[in-house]
């Protein structure tokens, strides 16, 4: 039977614990080593217990559970697809901010996202303008807090 | 129709935004006074909001804006004890539109401790002005067991406190231990100078060495024993200089002189290396005018909590920093030895 | 003294000062709602203008603004799972689940009332406590601070949720994350790989906004949901129910206020201790501790009361002793100096009417700000039923701006996304995000105070009277549910025989 996501997450924490132990041993002074090493050992031991439990669980289920698992698999696939898409949008927006700055990316992102969600042109444009106006009025005019201008139009 | 209208509106808006956000300014050969009008000056703060350096920066920002006709935007970059801001300022375009305010001690401590993330050479900045001259003093609790140098020298297992092992206060503490021959250790990790002062008042630690804070003295938390200098601080004439209390070797005397010259904390206003001469001269001239302005001086005095008497502008700041760099090179070996002994 | 009160009240109710207070309240409420932008940012922006104002006007402006930031800060935690102020994180544990159940109005009513009252009562305690402030601060040395932080961390056990092992892994991971960066005791760079970005460690704001705000919105979209709450009670009666809840749980509110106030008095303890200890003791003393985390109103009342009360304590220490208890109080100290008032023992002697004006101003600002929030609450709750098509861009933009304003580095955009995915994974697989945050907020502090204690007092630093007392309190609180059951059982047996 396939290993569940929980197993891999537990393994990730196990790796984190191991990484912490190895790094901590390079810190030199006992004061700087004490807590990171102690905590990393705790993470490692607890994660090892969790890995073992998850590994044991995968062999314990019968046919009914396997059928249920298959049904849940397709549900998970749909969820993962949606997650992939939404993460893509978020990452794309972050990249746009990095390159173009907040004031250009914000309306672009809002407009593009709403159009992708099949909202009308007018709604998308109005929403994009409203978000831009709000950000500009609050931060640039009201708070006089400089927002990132992007790599292309200025470092700050 | 609605769709077309929406597209046209969107495209127009985008065009306006792109233009308004601004393309990089062209280099125009204009007089500095004209150059700054309508422009945006970025003023980098390497100190957290509320710290004296930051407050002085905000006062300067207000006067700079008024006197140049430029809008001044304050950018706080305090990461890595302000080194992020100093690195940023060092690498900034030397067009006069990016300037910074920092404390001299921050610049210098990083040089002494050879901090790997410090990517600047402090003697290369284009210095405009220096404000203040706050001598370092040694403080104890007013109710503590040790009130004189003799008592400190006779005691065992003293503890001096500081915030960071790579900081100015640790260096000052180590200097005091060396010069007085104290049986003492320096403990670092306190969350700010106030925390160290409280620990002194509680009797958890013996004392600490830091620039003067009148507020803490007035509050009865700490009491100065001596100034780490060859002369008394004019604002605290009752507190003796260390040279009045102990006789020092020539090496130790030279170290003390370093603490009252190069290692005196002051607030520095500077631009990146390579600032055009005419713009640098313009800014220095402005700074000079501020020092004559009673309103400016009152504002600085208000945030400093005392009457600031030392304002240095122009070339003098530059040559002071160059001398400081040369002096520090000589003392790095002594400081490195002190630090190694402490960390052992 | 009576004369000073009279002058203070007359000053406070001058038309100009009232107008300034109202403007400050409105700004403070808005700032409190926007994630990542705290009252500190606004105080910094206003500082240069203070020179040109009369002292009482300038200081009323600042204290009023600051007083209400914590009142509105709980609202975004409750409605959007995004803390408006970094220490509103404890509020979202039960606040957001209440919103999802359609009880957002009730949660806001409880949070605002609790916060408002938590900001008012300590003001009246403040003056009575002035002679006690210095003895309290002097009594709390490094060991006592270590024990106080440990008390906060001990409540991690209360936050583990379903699986104790996963909860402890989460908490330990939070502690490990808190250790990234420059170590101020030894000067060693830990887990920062020589980068400037990680020199000071991981910032709290991207961690909080990523783990909760971004993770939650990802989760909702992933599940195909269309809104945070399908049915939100958009009525004043929902809000009024929350207000009544505070009265029903008045002793819980009172305990939490006192905890927050005492912690606020002690400089350097960390604001996180106040809210987490309050939340933890609320759960431990509740009749239904197993329901905490699913949307119970006590889980909102306790941290909100403590959050606001600690600020009154902090301001008292700043004014009476000239010792800033937090970064924001350092700004207030600067403001005092700028208007020519030197905080410290002399301030109460020389400027007593001004000090009273400020304290009464905090109380009045809390009342006005609270009333505004309560009336606005039914409309604010509509946000929870807004379609995610609109809410997703708004939340993402707010989070990214908040993170950038807090720490202006584009790398934080990456951090917030990484923590967003991490938070989602934790949520999906039963790991406790609150435990991670608790470990993160308090782990570094515990290490610091413990190391300082060992260096100053040696390894037996725990055996000091106050430290031992705190240790006993911690054990009793952790065992409270079992002790209560045991005592009830004993009573039953005795009455049965």
């Amino acid at each position: 039977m396939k290993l569940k996501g929980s197993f891999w997450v537990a393994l990730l924490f196990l790796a984190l614990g191991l990484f912490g132990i190895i790094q901590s041993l390079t810190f030199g002074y006992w004061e700087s080593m004490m807590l990171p090493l102690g905590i990393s050992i705790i993470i490692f031991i607890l994660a090892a217990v969790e890995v073992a439990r998850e590994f044991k669980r995968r062999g314990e289920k019968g046919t009914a559970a396997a059928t249920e698992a298959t049904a849940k698999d397709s549900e998970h696939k749909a969820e993962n697809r949606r997650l992939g898409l939404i993460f893509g949008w978020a990452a794309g927006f972050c990249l746009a901010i990095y390159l173009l700055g907040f004031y250009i990316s914000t309306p672009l992102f809002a407009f593009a996202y709403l159009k992708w969600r099949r909202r009308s042109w007018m709604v998308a444009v109005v929403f994009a303008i409203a978000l831009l106006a709000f950000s500009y009025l609050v931060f640039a005019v009201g708070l006089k807090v400089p927002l990132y201008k992007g790599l292309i139009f200025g470092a700050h | 129709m609605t769709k077309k209208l929406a597209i046209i509106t969107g495209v127009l808006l985008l065009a306006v935004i792109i233009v308004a956000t601004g393309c990089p300014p062209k280099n125009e050969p204009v007089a500095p006074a004209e150059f700054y009008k309508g422009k945006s000056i970025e003023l980098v703060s390497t100190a957290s909001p509320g710290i004296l350096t930051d407050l002085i920066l905000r006062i300067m920002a207000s006067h700079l804006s008024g006197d140049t006709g430029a809008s001044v935007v304050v950018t706080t970059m305090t990461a890595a004890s302000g080194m992020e801001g100093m690195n940023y300022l060092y690498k900034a375009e030397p067009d006069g539109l990016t300037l910074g305010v920092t404390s001299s001690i921050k610049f210098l401590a990083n040089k002494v401790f050879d901090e790997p993330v410090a990517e600047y050479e402090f003697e290369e900045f284009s210095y405009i002005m220096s404000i203040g001259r706050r001598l370092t003093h040694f403080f104890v609790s007013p109710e503590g067991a040790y009130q004189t140098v003799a008592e400190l020298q006779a005691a065992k297992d003293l503890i001096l406190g500081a915030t960071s092992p790579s900081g100015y206060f640790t260096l000052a503490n180590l200097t005091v231990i060396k010069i007085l021959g104290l049986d003492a250790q320096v403990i670092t990790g306190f969350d700010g100078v106030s925390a160290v002062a409280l620990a002194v008042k509680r009797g958890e630690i013996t004392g600490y060495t830091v620039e003067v804070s009148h507020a803490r003295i007035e509050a009865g938390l700490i009491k100065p024993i001596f100034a780490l200098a060859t002369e008394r601080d004019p604002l605290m004439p009752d507190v003796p200089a260390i040279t009045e209390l102990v006789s020092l070797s020539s090496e130790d005397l030279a170290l003390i002189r370093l603490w009252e010259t190069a290692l005196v904390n002051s607030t520095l206003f500077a631009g990146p290396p390579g600032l055009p001469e005419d713009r640098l001269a313009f800014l220095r001239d402005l700074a000079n005018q501020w020092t004559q302005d009673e309103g400016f001086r009152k504002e600085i005095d208000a945030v400093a909590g005392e009457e600031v008497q030392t304002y240095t502008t122009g070339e003098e700041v530059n040559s002071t920093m160059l001398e400081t760099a040369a002096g520090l090179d000589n003392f790095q070996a002594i400081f490195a030895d002190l630090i190694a002994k402490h960390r052992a | 003294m009576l004369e000073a009160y009279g002058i203070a009240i007359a000053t406070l109710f001058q038309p100009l000062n009232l107008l300034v207070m109202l403007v400050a309240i409105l700004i403070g409420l808005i700032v409190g709602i926007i994630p990542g932008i705290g009252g500190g940012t606004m105080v910094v922006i206003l500082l240069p203008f203070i020179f040109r104002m009369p002292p009482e006007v300038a200081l009323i402006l600042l204290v009023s603004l600051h007083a209400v930031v914590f009142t509105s800060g709980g609202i975004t935690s409750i409605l959007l799972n995004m803390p408006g102020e970094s220490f509103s994180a404890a509020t979202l544990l039960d606040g957001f689940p209440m919103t999802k159940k359609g009880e957002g109005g009730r949660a806001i009513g409880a949070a605002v009332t609790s916060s408002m009252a938590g900001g008012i009562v300590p003001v009246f305690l403040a003056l009575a406590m002035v002679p006690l402030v210095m003895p309290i601060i002097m009594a709390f040395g490094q060991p006592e601070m270590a024990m106080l932080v440990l008390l906060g961390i001990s409540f991690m056990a209360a936050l583990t949720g379903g699986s104790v092992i996963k909860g402890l892994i989460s908490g330990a991971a939070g502690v490990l994350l808190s250790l990234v960066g420059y170590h101020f005791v030894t000067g060693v760079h830990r887990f920062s790989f020589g980068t400037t970005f990680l020199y000071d460690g991981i910032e709290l704001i991207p961690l909080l906004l990523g783990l909760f705000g971004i993770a939650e919105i990802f989760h909702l979209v992933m599940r195909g949901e269309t809104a945070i709450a399908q049915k939100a009670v958009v009525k004043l009666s929902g809000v009024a129910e929350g207000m009544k809840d505070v009265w029903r749980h008045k002793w819980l509110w009172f305990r939490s206020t006192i905890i927050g106030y005492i912690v606020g008095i002690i400089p350097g303890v960390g604001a996180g201790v106040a809210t987490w200890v309050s939340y933890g003791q609320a759960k431990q003393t509740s009749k239904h501790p197993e329901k905490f985390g699913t949307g119970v109103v006590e889980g909102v009342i306790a941290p909100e009361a403590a959050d606001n009360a600690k600020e009154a304590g902090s301001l008292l220490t700043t004014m009476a002793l000239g010792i800033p208890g937090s970064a924001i109080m350092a700004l207030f100290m600067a403001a005092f100096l700028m208007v020519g008032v030197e905080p410290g023992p002399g301030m109460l002697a020389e400027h007593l009417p001004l000090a009273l004006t400020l304290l009464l101003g905090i109380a009045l600002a809390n009342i006005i700000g609270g009333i505004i929030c309560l009336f606005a609450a039914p409309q604010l709750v509509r946000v929870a039923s807004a379609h995610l098509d609109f809410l997703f861009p708004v939340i993402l933009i707010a989070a990214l701006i908040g993170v950038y304003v807090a720490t202006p580095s584009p790398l934080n955009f990456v951090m917030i996304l990484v923590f967003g995915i991490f938070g989602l994974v934790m949520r999906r697989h039963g790991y406790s995000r609150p435990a991670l945050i608790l470990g993160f907020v308090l782990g570094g502090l515990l290490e610091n105070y413990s190391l300082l204690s060992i260096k100053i007092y040696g390894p037996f630093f725990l055996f000091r009277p106050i430290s031992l007392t705190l240790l006993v309190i911690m054990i009793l609180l952790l065992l409270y549910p079992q002790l209560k059951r045991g005592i009830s059982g004993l009573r039953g047996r005795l009455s049965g025989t």
Side-chain angles (χ1 to χ4, degrees), chain B residues 49-50 55 58-59 62 76 79-80 83 115 163-166 187-190 198 201-202 204 215 219 299 302-303, chain C residues 44 47 51-52 137-138 140-142 182 184-187 199-200 321 323 331 334 337-338 342 408 448 452 456-457:
Chain B
L55 296 174
R58 288 177 195 276
I59 293 168
S62 158
T76 304
M83 273 183 281
E115 276 288 347
T163 48
S164 158
S166 305
I187 290 182
T188 56
F190 288 94
L198 276 175
K201 177 74 174 175
R202 282 190 201 107
E204 290 181 307
E299 290 173 4
V303 298
Chain C
V44 165
L47 275 181
F51 279 120
R52 295 167 195 122
I137 291 173
M138 287 299 111
F140 271 78
Q142 313 307 316
Y182 182 78
F184 275 83
V185 178
T186 57
Y199 188 103
D200 294 323
L321 301 175
I323 303 168
L331 292 173
L337 289 171
M338 284 161 90
E342 187 157 341
N448 222 47
L452 285 172
I456 294 170
Y457 296 99

Side-chain angles (χ1 to χ4, degrees), chain B residues 193-220:
Chain B
V193 185
S194 293
V196 185
L198 276 175
V200 169
K201 177 74 174 175
R202 282 190 201 107
E204 290 181 307
I205 60 176
T206 313
Y208 70 138
T209 321
V210 75
E211 64 192 65
V212 172
S213 161
H214 291 282
R216 287 188 205 107
I217 297 171
E218 298 289 317

Side-chain angles (χ1 to χ4, degrees), chain C residues 23-187:
Chain C
V23 169
I25 287 169
L26 291 172
I27 297 172
L29 290 176
I30 293 169
V31 164
I33 281 180
I34 301 173
I37 298 179
T41 307
M42 273 319 299
V43 173
V44 165
I45 288 164
L46 290 170
L47 275 181
F49 301 104
I50 285 178
F51 279 120
R52 295 167 195 122
M53 295 183 195
E56 62 277 0
V57 174
L59 295 175
I60 286 173
L61 172 72
L62 292 182
V63 299
S64 303
L65 187 151
H66 181 59
V68 299
V69 161
F70 296 93
T71 307
S72 62
I75 293 177
T76 30
S77 294
I78 289 166
L79 293 180
L80 301 174
N81 211 37
M82 291 210 315
E85 270 282 326
S86 58
F87 300 107
S88 307
T91 305
L92 56 79
L93 298 185
D94 279 279
F96 187 63
M98 284 182 77
T99 296
K100 291 206 288 187
K101 288 195 297 191
E103 290 185 319
R106 185 181 174 194
I108 292 177
V112 169
T113 308
S114 181
S115 183
M116 180 172 67
I120 294 169
V121 168
V123 162
F124 298 99
L125 282 177
L127 289 161
M129 285 196 66
V130 165
L132 296 174
V133 170
M134 196 59 172
I136 291 174
I137 291 173
M138 287 299 111
F140 271 78
Q142 313 307 316
E144 288 73 29
M145 309 249 246
M147 282 314 302
L148 207 48
V149 176
L150 187 61
L151 181 63
I153 284 192
S154 68
F155 288 115
M156 197 181 293
L159 300 174
T160 52
S163 161
V164 174
I165 289 184
K166 286 180 176 177
L168 289 174
I169 289 174
S170 308
V175 174
L176 195 62
L177 285 177
S178 77
L179 303 177
V180 173
Y182 182 78
H183 188 216
F184 275 83
V185 178
T186 57

Side-chain angles (χ1 to χ4, degrees), chain C residues 430-455:
Chain C
Y431 289 85
S432 170
R433 291 170 293 167
L436 188 145
I437 289 294
L438 182 61
F440 182 81
V441 167
L442 299 184
L445 277 178
L446 178 65
E447 183 194 39
N448 222 47
Y449 288 128
S450 305
L451 285 175
L452 285 172
S453 301
I454 292 170
K455 282 174 171 287

Side-chain angles (χ1 to χ4, degrees), chain C residues 309-485:
Chain C
K310 74 177 188 316
E311 291 308 308
S314 236
L315 185 62
L316 179 66
T317 305
T318 304
M319 284 200 301
L321 301 175
I323 303 168
S326 61
I328 292 182
M329 285 302 134
L331 292 173
F332 270 88
M333 269 201 65
F336 282 123
L337 289 171
M338 284 161 90
V339 298
V341 175
E342 187 157 341
M347 181 178 171
L348 295 184
E350 292 161 27
H351 300 281
L352 183 61
L354 179 64
L356 289 173
T357 305
L358 297 181
L359 288 170
L360 292 171
I362 290 174
L364 186 60
N366 267 295
I367 293 170
I368 298 174
I371 291 170
I372 294 174
C373 280
L374 289 169
F375 277 104
Q379 304 314 314
L380 291 172
V381 168
R382 287 180 196 278
V383 167
S385 28
H387 201 286
L388 282 178
D389 285 355
F390 300 100
L391 216 46
F392 171 66
V394 168
I395 288 176
L396 188 60
I397 289 162
L400 291 172
I401 290 179
V403 133
Y404 185 77
V405 170
T407 315
S409 168
L411 279 170
N412 274 322
F413 302 152
V414 176
M415 295 295 270
I416 203 175
L417 284 186
V418 166
F419 288 131
I421 292 295
F422 188 51
L424 189 63
V425 167
M426 288 182 76
R427 191 191 197 290
R428 209 169 174 180
H429 297 285
Y431 289 85
S432 170
R433 291 170 293 167
L436 188 145
I437 289 294
L438 182 61
F440 182 81
V441 167
L442 299 184
L445 277 178
L446 178 65
E447 183 194 39
N448 222 47
Y449 288 128
S450 305
L451 285 175
L452 285 172
S453 301
I454 292 170
K455 282 174 171 287
I456 294 170
Y457 296 99
F460 300 107
F461 66 89
L462 273 177
F463 296 106
R464 287 159 55 88
I466 296 178
S467 306
L468 268 179
T469 309
L470 287 170
L471 183 64
V472 168
I473 292 173
M474 183 179 89
I475 293 169
L476 283 174
L477 272 172
L478 286 173
L479 295 176
Y480 182 79
Q482 290 81 6
L483 283 171
K484 202 172 158 190
R485 270 200 299 277

Side-chain angles (χ1 to χ4, degrees), chain C residues 190-412:
Chain C
R190 300 188 296 190
F191 307 114
S192 60
F193 312 110
T195 61
T196 319
F197 181 66
L198 290 176
Y199 188 103
D200 294 323
I202 291 170
E203 295 287 332
L204 177 62
I205 300 288
L207 180 66
L208 262 182
L209 293 180
L211 273 188
F212 290 98
I214 300 294
E216 201 60 36
I217 201 76
F218 278 177
H219 171 78
L220 288 167
V221 171
M222 197 175 86
R223 296 291 297 265
E225 306 274 359
T226 53
I228 290 173
Q230 298 305 332
K231 269 188 285 185
V233 174
V234 182
K235 280 188 215 168
L236 213 51
S237 55
V239 175
E241 191 60 27
M243 293 169 70
K244 287 181 205 167
D245 282 321
V246 178
W247 178 253
R248 282 184 206 120
H249 299 283
K250 53 187 172 296
W251 295 117
L252 169 65
W253 167 83
F254 185 71
R255 277 199 310 274
S256 305
T257 301
I258 296 299
I259 288 170
Y261 184 62
I262 300 285
V263 169
I265 282 176
I266 304 165
V269 173
V273 171
T275 47
W276 290 109
V277 168
S278 290
Y279 184 86
Q281 60 87 27
K283 181 172 176 178
Q284 291 299 94
T285 55
S286 167
K287 287 177 187 156
H288 310 284
E290 71 286 352
K291 287 187 180 170
F292 272 67
T294 64
V296 293
V297 77
E298 296 104 296
V300 170
I301 291 170
E304 283 295 311
D307 206 15
N308 213 351
K310 74 177 188 316
E311 291 308 308
S314 236
L315 185 62
L316 179 66
T317 305
T318 304
M319 284 200 301
L321 301 175
I323 303 168
S326 61
I328 292 182
M329 285 302 134
L331 292 173
F332 270 88
M333 269 201 65
F336 282 123
L337 289 171
M338 284 161 90
V339 298
V341 175
E342 187 157 341
M347 181 178 171
L348 295 184
E350 292 161 27
H351 300 281
L352 183 61
L354 179 64
L356 289 173
T357 305
L358 297 181
L359 288 170
L360 292 171
I362 290 174
L364 186 60
N366 267 295
I367 293 170
I368 298 174
I371 291 170
I372 294 174
C373 280
L374 289 169
F375 277 104
Q379 304 314 314
L380 291 172
V381 168
R382 287 180 196 278
V383 167
S385 28
H387 201 286
L388 282 178
D389 285 355
F390 300 100
L391 216 46
F392 171 66
V394 168
I395 288 176
L396 188 60
I397 289 162
L400 291 172
I401 290 179
V403 133
Y404 185 77
V405 170
T407 315
S409 168
L411 279 170
N412 274 322

